[in-house]
Amino acid sequence: DQQVKQNSPSLSVQEGRISILNCDYTNSMFDYFLWYKKYPAEGPTFLISISSIKDKNEDGRFTVFLNKSAKHLSLHIVPSQPGDSAVYFCAAKAGNNRKLIWGLGTSLAVNP
Amino acid sequence: SAVISQKPSRDICQRGTSLTIQCQVDSQVTMMFWYRQQPGQSLTLIATANQGSEATYESGFVIDKFPISRPNLTFSTLTVSNMSPEDSSIYLCSVLGLADQETQYFGPGTRLLVL
């Protein structure tokens, strides 16, 4: 059973516009969430994270929003740039076992 | 974050052979993680390797198939043994952040194709 779900396998956005990537989770014990970006033939690169005690975290063009009641988080990229084209993974962890639980990823294409 | 390198970056192997992947970190780290990403799939944790102790394997992964060495605090190897085409994956080494122990950082990966 997929505890972290990224229901959109792909997303296409125009350069300069906002990209919104969504992630849903089922385990209410998750207390820390991370977003990674992955280019082909490279390892994942950490982007931004959020603790469950917060509902928003911002770093430059990247903002993550957490809605605990809906068990939903989203990553906003604004403005989107062609270099943002990559696969974005949502991951979460819970409790004493701090193992990362991963979503299946969303492939973002930012068109010039 | 620590700088992580992996060797080889890619390889093509024949079924039945074994390949050892090396992971080098520029800082001393207690825990190192080995993942794989099969085509079209997400990342799957194979095992956690602590220096001075046996690696801890996740469900579905066994030491005979994926032996791991962790001789010191900056280095680890993962061997993919008796390979089959189903082992074709990207294999990734990962460590926790030095200042931020909640974040994992990844090496560039080893792209393995088994024929």
Side-chain angles (χ1 to χ4, degrees):
Chain A
D1 181 37
Q2 195 77 19
Q3 295 186 62
V4 176
K5 301 176 185 179
Q6 294 177 257
N7 292 319
S8 298
S10 63
L11 175 67
S12 183
V13 170
Q14 207 66 26
E15 180 179 6
R17 305 295 291 269
I18 186 171
S19 295
I20 300 177
L21 297 109
N22 293 305
C23 179
D24 297 294
Y25 60 96
T26 58
N27 187 345
S28 58
M29 300 303 292
F30 286 144
D31 59 11
Y32 201 81
F33 304 87
L34 305 92
W35 283 95
Y36 287 83
K37 175 173 74 173
K38 187 179 184 300
Y39 294 119
E42 293 186 13
T45 301
F46 170 69
L47 276 176
I48 192 168
S49 60
I50 188 166
S51 164
S52 61
I53 62 173
K54 296 185 176 181
D55 54 20
K56 176 182 174 182
N57 189 26
E58 188 172 355
D59 184 2
R61 296 186 299 115
F62 302 94
T63 302
V64 56
F65 296 92
L66 175 62
N67 182 335
K68 287 195 296 281
S69 62
K71 294 192 180 69
H72 176 83
L73 65 157
S74 60
L75 174 68
H76 293 210
I77 306 173
V78 57
S80 301
Q81 300 172 354
D84 295 328
S85 299
V87 177
Y88 289 77
F89 289 97
C90 172
K93 53 172 70 177
N96 292 328
N97 177 358
R98 304 306 285 172
K99 184 173 71 172
L100 280 175
I101 307 299
W102 295 81
L104 292 177
T106 296
S107 178
L108 173 66
V110 180
N111 305 307
Chain B
S1 63
V3 176
I4 307 168
S5 60
Q6 286 184 234
K7 288 182 185 179
S9 59
R10 58 176 59 226
D11 208 340
I12 301 173
C13 300
Q14 296 297 319
R15 68 170 68 213
T17 63
S18 297
L19 176 72
T20 295
I21 302 167
Q22 299 179 8
C23 178
Q24 180 75 52
V25 187
D26 70 344
S27 306
Q28 293 185 338
V29 293
T30 304
M31 297 171 70
M32 295 178 78
F33 306 89
W34 285 99
Y35 285 81
R36 77 175 179 189
Q37 184 188 18
Q38 293 179 300
Q41 301 295 314
S42 187
L43 281 76
T44 302
L45 180 63
I46 297 171
T48 302
N50 292 326
Q51 195 269 335
S53 63
E54 294 285 334
T56 302
Y57 288 82
E58 296 298 307
S59 175
F61 297 96
V62 294
I63 187 171
D64 290 346
K65 175 67 176 177
F66 296 101
I68 288 171
S69 78
R70 184 78 206 273
N72 57 53
L73 291 173
T74 62
F75 187 78
S76 178
T77 67
L78 170 77
T79 299
V80 187
S81 303
N82 188 24
M83 287 183 285
S84 67
E86 292 71 35
D87 294 319
S88 297
S89 287
I90 299 173
Y91 290 85
L92 296 151
C93 172
S94 172
V95 302
L96 294 175
L98 299 176
D100 172 17
Q101 294 276 297
E102 288 285 17
T103 301
Q104 285 188 20
Y105 295 89
F106 287 83
T110 296
R111 185 178 292 267
L112 171 61
L113 176 63
V114 184
L115 302 177

